Amino acid sequence: RDRMLGAVARATTGGGGPEDAAYAWEGGHPRRPRTLAVYDRRCRLHETKPHCMEQSRRAVAAAAVVEAVGLRRPRSLWVERTVHGAYLERAALALPYAHTRAYVGAVRRRCADLKTEPTLVFGGDDEDTCGNRESWDAAIAASAAVLQAVDAVLCGEARNALCAVRPPGHHAGACLNALGAPGNGYCLLNHAALGAKHAAHERGAKRVAVFDFDVHHGNGTEDILARTFDPRFMYLSLHATGEDVFPGSGRRARPDHPGLFNVPGDAEAAITAGWLLDDALPRVLRALDGFRPDVLILSSGFDAHKRDPVELGKLDAADYGVLTRRIVDWADRNCCGRVVSVLEGGYGVDCGPGGEYVPTGRREAFDACLRAHVDELARDPRVASAEADESSSDAEGREDNDVEAEAGGPPRAVDAGAAARDGGGMV
């Protein structure tokens, strides 16, 4: 793997030696690519009605988590705070890969006709999918973030990636009411499916898998990638089922064809850690073993958390950390670690009286689940040991300064390199 990444770095920079490589530790040693995290402020401008659980504070909370992890792990996490402009245009042009032109045109026109205040986008039986005049730009920015992350991972620029975006997308199908769903479940465009199509059609990936661990079945992603069998794609989902569980699809455990693998939970039963980690996940990983994807895209939903307002799960943040670690370990062994995680559900965000995000820390919520997820994506034993050594040396320096200050002596200067890393180590 290191030889391959060194070759990618030399090809990228045009240089022939380690000193010319794009990724190099101090001392000229080849550097492993970091985890890429992408978010965009446009995703905050998509507004929904007060009764919707999917609120703009989710984007604020996700960005805060990414920044906090980046400060703790500057060598492991690379943060992009704005989607590159070229990818916005590329995402708009790529939409027909995932959605019919009639659907794309209808959503775009509807968003353009909306007012600044949130309004129902589709109307009819869909009482959840709201938006405003900024919703189209927010959805395009979210899709563009996924395309940017897929490119970074496939070319070796990033080890894996997280797209902290909204609105979510896995209920948006090729057209409205995918697989007979009563609505679009807060979704406008399907970012994960578009990323899979982009990887196959534009980047030459032979096999792309999308694994959805949101508590709801991703009917839109199944509609786009696996309604009929295409050997380039596989959709896998573990989710809750029940009479009143949206969207009502994905109840059959027996696959319709080799490109589809649903693992539904017991009817009317909450998602538990035992079922998820000991039963459902091993079955998913065995199915992935048979498919052997070139890249794995995750539809990452955290709404099976025990305090999520959806009330369909009993998981905690540690369970999501274990889930992510097992997925990353599998990817390291089978597809060079190429994982792109796309944020879907997860609505337990602490908020203030005005509905704003408040990182109180009083109880475990959505941000704790996402933090556990990002920590495991960005965890690299070799990088982690270097960061731990830096932290311990910095702590020792501070202790020495304190001792000398108490003794009346002048404080010892802290290493300038460490100070620079602490002050501006995050890209």
Side-chain angles (χ1 to χ4, degrees):
R1 176 190 172 112
D2 289 340
R3 287 194 300 271
M4 179 193 73
L5 294 176
V8 170
R10 287 192 296 274
T12 302
T13 60
E19 66 277 4
D20 296 322
Y23 308 106
W25 292 109
E26 293 80 0
H29 299 290
R31 175 176 177 179
R32 291 162 63 88
R34 292 173 289 178
T35 294
L36 167 65
V38 188
Y39 67 87
D40 194 289
R41 293 184 63 87
R42 277 167 285 218
C43 293
R44 306 180 188 184
L45 302 179
H46 166 66
E47 294 289 344
T48 59
K49 284 181 172 291
H51 74 272
C52 291
M53 291 182 284
E54 207 288 309
Q55 296 285 333
S56 60
R57 59 178 174 266
R58 296 178 66 242
V60 180
V65 168
V66 166
E67 294 291 353
V69 177
L71 287 173
R72 285 192 290 109
R73 296 185 166 186
R75 285 189 168 184
S76 301
L77 190 67
W78 155 33
V79 181
E80 288 281 355
R81 299 171 182 83
T82 304
V83 176
H84 294 176
Y87 282 100
L88 296 171
E89 182 179 356
R90 188 172 297 173
L93 294 174
L95 290 178
Y97 281 142
H99 305 285
T100 64
R101 294 187 182 275
Y103 175 85
V104 171
V107 174
R108 185 170 189 170
R109 287 192 301 271
R110 178 57 177 157
C111 290
D113 292 341
L114 294 178
K115 300 179 180 179
T116 306
E117 297 78 17
T119 311
L120 291 176
V121 175
F122 301 110
D125 294 333
D126 189 349
E127 300 178 354
D128 295 322
T129 309
C130 307
N132 61 353
R133 194 171 295 167
E134 309 296 335
S135 295
W136 177 257
D137 289 341
I140 287 291
S143 291
V146 176
L147 301 193
Q148 182 175 332
V150 167
D151 280 359
V153 169
L154 285 179
C155 78
E157 189 179 9
R159 176 171 170 259
N160 52 39
L162 167 75
C163 302
V165 295
R166 66 178 285 273
H170 70 151
H171 295 308
C175 53
L176 196 60
N177 306 116
L179 303 186
N184 259 38
Y186 311 137
C187 303
L188 298 179
L189 302 175
N190 197 313
H191 322 303
L194 188 64
K197 293 280 190 174
H198 174 76
H201 292 288
E202 302 293 338
R203 294 296 174 257
K206 294 182 179 179
R207 291 177 297 276
V208 184
V210 176
F211 172 32
D212 189 333
F213 59 83
D214 189 279
V215 77
H216 301 99
H217 179 241
N219 58 309
T221 310
E222 179 178 322
D223 180 47
I224 294 169
L225 298 181
R227 192 179 187 96
T228 58
F229 177 57
D230 186 330
R232 295 171 296 180
F233 303 108
M234 186 175 193
Y235 174 69
L236 309 96
S237 175
L238 50 86
H239 49 269
T241 60
E243 189 66 29
D244 297 322
V245 177
F246 184 88
S249 54
R251 298 181 182 180
R252 294 181 60 220
R254 184 176 180 180
D256 294 332
H257 54 73
L260 177 63
F261 192 81
N262 283 316
V263 186
D266 295 334
E268 313 298 341
I271 301 298
T272 63
W275 177 82
L276 174 73
L277 300 175
D278 299 332
D279 180 14
L281 182 60
R283 292 161 61 187
V284 167
L285 296 183
R286 285 195 296 271
L288 286 171
D289 285 336
F291 184 63
R292 297 181 294 119
D294 297 316
V295 59
L296 175 61
I297 297 176
L298 303 178
S299 277
S300 302
F302 302 98
D303 40 4
H305 187 263
K306 58 189 176 184
R307 292 197 180 96
D308 195 276
V310 170
E311 297 183 340
L312 289 175
K314 297 182 179 180
L315 305 183
D316 56 29
D319 297 325
Y320 282 110
V322 174
L323 171 68
T324 307
R325 169 50 31 199
R326 294 184 184 178
I327 295 170
V328 170
D329 286 344
W330 181 92
D332 284 341
R333 294 191 305 268
N334 294 276
C335 61
C336 296
R338 291 189 288 259
V339 174
V340 177
S341 176
V342 183
L343 181 61
E344 298 286 358
Y347 310 105
V349 180
D350 285 339
C351 59
E356 72 280 6
Y357 168 59
V358 178
T360 61
R362 294 176 299 180
R363 62 176 188 173
E364 192 175 273
F366 162 76
D367 48 2
C369 299
L370 183 59
R371 187 179 304 113
H373 183 64
V374 180
D375 275 336
E376 293 298 338
L377 285 174
R379 187 173 73 88
D380 186 326
R382 284 182 280 185
V383 176
S385 61
E387 290 175 341
D389 291 342
E390 283 184 9
S391 299
S392 61
S393 63
D394 291 346
E396 290 174 2
R398 287 191 295 270
E399 290 175 2
D400 291 342
N401 289 344
D402 293 341
V403 170
E404 292 192 13
E406 290 176 1
R412 181 171 62 85
V414 179
D415 177 74
R421 286 191 295 271
D422 291 343
M426 183 174 60
V427 178

